[in-house]
Amino acid sequence: MKLPARVRIYEVGPRDGLQNEAQLLSTNVKLEFIARLAAAGLREIEVTSFVSPKAIPQLADADELMTRMPRDNGVRYPVLVPNWRGMERAEAAGARSIAVFTAASEAFTKANIGMTVDESLAAFRPVLARAAQQGMWTRAYVSTAFGCPYSGRVEPARVIELATRLLDLGAEEICLGDTIGVGVPSQVHEMTELALGAGLSLDQLAYHFHDTRGTALANVVAGLEDGVTCFDSSTGGTGGCPYAPGAAGNLATEDLVYLLDAMGIEHGVSLEGVLAAARYIADALGRPLASKVGQAGAFKPSGERV
Ligand code: HMG
Ligand code: MG
């Protein structure tokens, strides 16, 4: 089995990580966190969401935050956009990369964005067309890809059908989300196989694993074995969706970086830098680090602790 030599780590800490926190952070603290993530070598950092501030008050400062983001520094800063209104706001604030998001189950889609799945795709059509016109990079999420908190089992074929429809609408990358962390490696293999069989290429596919039941890293290994080269993670292991009861943190970036380093897979991110950013955000949130490597420290052949 040939694992990829290099992968992309797509950081979601400032967005997924903070959207479910009881504590609201200031824009300055978020900007400092994002700057530390970039300093650690992360080159794709999802920074906020242009959604209703009533739905996600934690990210109500999206307009100000995005306006204050650095430009042209080689880092991609995608933002979530649920509809045309969100697109207008994102564009006005200077976003150059966007992510639309729907789900494989009707119940979650309704709870999360107040639309049916078909309505969400109809809402994304003009958004993705506008993004293409503006030369923006685009991603589309299919959430609840491995299970729905309201309706349970999800058919993998349904997930892949949506993925192909989103590609047809112009999304450049499809990210399959295990929103409530129920998936296991055998299901990841099945999903990748179905995706490739439906015509997706490996460089169009990303996985987003929540670690609710401790299967996220195992699922990453399954994805690597399939040849997938983009994985989402959140520095500090924060994350969750307020509209997905039971959703816990994302796979922690430091746990992912540790694994990839030890497996000799390149990614360009410094573990020490990520740990420093993780400590910063944990302090800001006033709680201990959720990640394994954050608690244990990195392993150095010299015996030194990081
Ligand atoms: P709605 O209530 O169903 O629809 O919200 P609406 O069109 O009637 O809008 C309601 C209010 O929101 C109105 O304001 C609109 O103007 C306003 P009001 O009249 O009540 O004052 N509104 C907006 N405001 C700001 N920006 C906008 C916008 N659109 C409408 N873009 C809506 C529909 C989509 C807005 C709402 O349901 C929403 O914001 N949902 C966001 C939910 C969310 O962000 N969830 C978390 C992200 S998804 C996730 O975490 C999963 C992921 O990580 C992958 C995985 O884990 O699987 C990506
Ligand atoms: Mg998520």
Side-chain angles (χ1 to χ4, degrees):
M1 165 195 340
K2 197 171 172 313
L3 300 175
R6 188 176 176 87
V7 299
R8 292 161 46 218
I9 299 180
Y10 182 101
E11 169 69 37
V12 296
R15 193 279 302 169
D16 203 327
L18 300 184
Q19 73 184 11
N20 203 30
E21 290 291 335
Q23 166 121 10
L24 301 194
L25 299 183
S26 71
T27 310
N28 283 343
V29 167
K30 293 177 188 177
L31 286 167
E32 178 62 29
F33 179 43
I34 294 163
R36 287 175 188 232
L37 295 170
L42 288 154
R43 288 294 166 267
E44 292 173 274
I45 308 173
E46 198 168 88
V47 288
T48 191
S49 301
F50 287 91
V51 297
S52 158
K54 285 183 199 147
I56 309 281
Q58 293 86 343
L59 305 181
D61 62 346
D63 308 80
E64 185 196 344
L65 181 116
M66 196 63 221
T67 306
R68 293 174 57 192
M69 291 305 300
R71 310 269 180 244
D72 303 322
N73 62 348
V75 182
R76 183 180 275 166
Y77 296 113
V79 296
L80 287 196
V81 167
N83 55 18
W84 183 252
R85 169 89 189 280
M87 184 63 180
E88 286 179 329
R89 288 175 58 206
E91 214 180 312
R96 299 294 307 145
S97 311
I98 61 153
V100 294
F101 54 107
T102 187
S105 58
E106 292 294 343
F108 177 75
T109 312
K110 197 77 190 170
N112 195 38
I113 53 175
M115 304 180 213
T116 65
V117 173
D118 280 346
E119 283 166 354
S120 72
L121 266 60
F124 301 159
R125 181 182 289 279
V127 168
L128 290 168
R130 175 71 183 171
Q133 202 184 52
Q134 296 297 309
M136 293 182 179
W137 179 83
T138 55
R139 156 184 267 214
Y141 284 96
V142 181
S143 289
T144 64
F146 295 86
C148 171
Y150 304 105
S151 53
R153 194 181 146 71
V154 164
E155 283 304 324
R158 170 68 170 156
V159 176
I160 300 307
E161 179 219 326
L162 288 171
T164 56
R165 284 169 69 187
L166 288 159
L167 284 178
D168 288 346
L169 290 179
E172 288 174 59
E173 175 170 275
I174 301 297
C175 181
L176 304 182
D178 188 6
T179 319
I180 52 168
V182 287
V184 296
S186 52
Q187 291 175 300
V188 174
H189 289 314
E190 182 189 4
M191 193 68 85
T192 312
E193 198 181 318
L194 273 180
L196 300 182
L200 273 84
S201 64
L202 282 170
D203 58 13
Q204 288 174 318
L205 184 61
Y207 279 119
H208 174 110
F209 297 120
H210 284 261
D211 201 25
T212 320
R213 291 169 180 79
T215 55
L217 264 188
N219 289 341
V220 166
V221 174
L224 289 169
E225 289 171 352
D226 295 339
V228 174
T229 57
C230 182
F231 298 95
D232 292 10
S233 60
S234 164
T235 291
T238 51
C241 175
Y243 300 95
N250 289 85
L251 169 61
T253 305
E254 52 272 37
D255 291 350
L256 177 60
V257 168
Y258 176 80
L259 177 98
L260 295 171
D261 280 347
M263 290 177 76
I265 297 172
E266 282 177 42
H267 49 74
V269 179
S270 146
L271 179 56
E272 286 166 43
V274 170
L275 282 170
R279 284 186 205 108
Y280 175 80
I281 203 63
D283 284 350
L285 293 168
R287 59 178 174 74
L289 280 176
S291 66
K292 296 285 187 200
V293 175
Q295 288 164 26
F299 173 75
K300 288 269 179 186
S302 63
E304 172 202 352
R305 265 179 73 92
V306 178

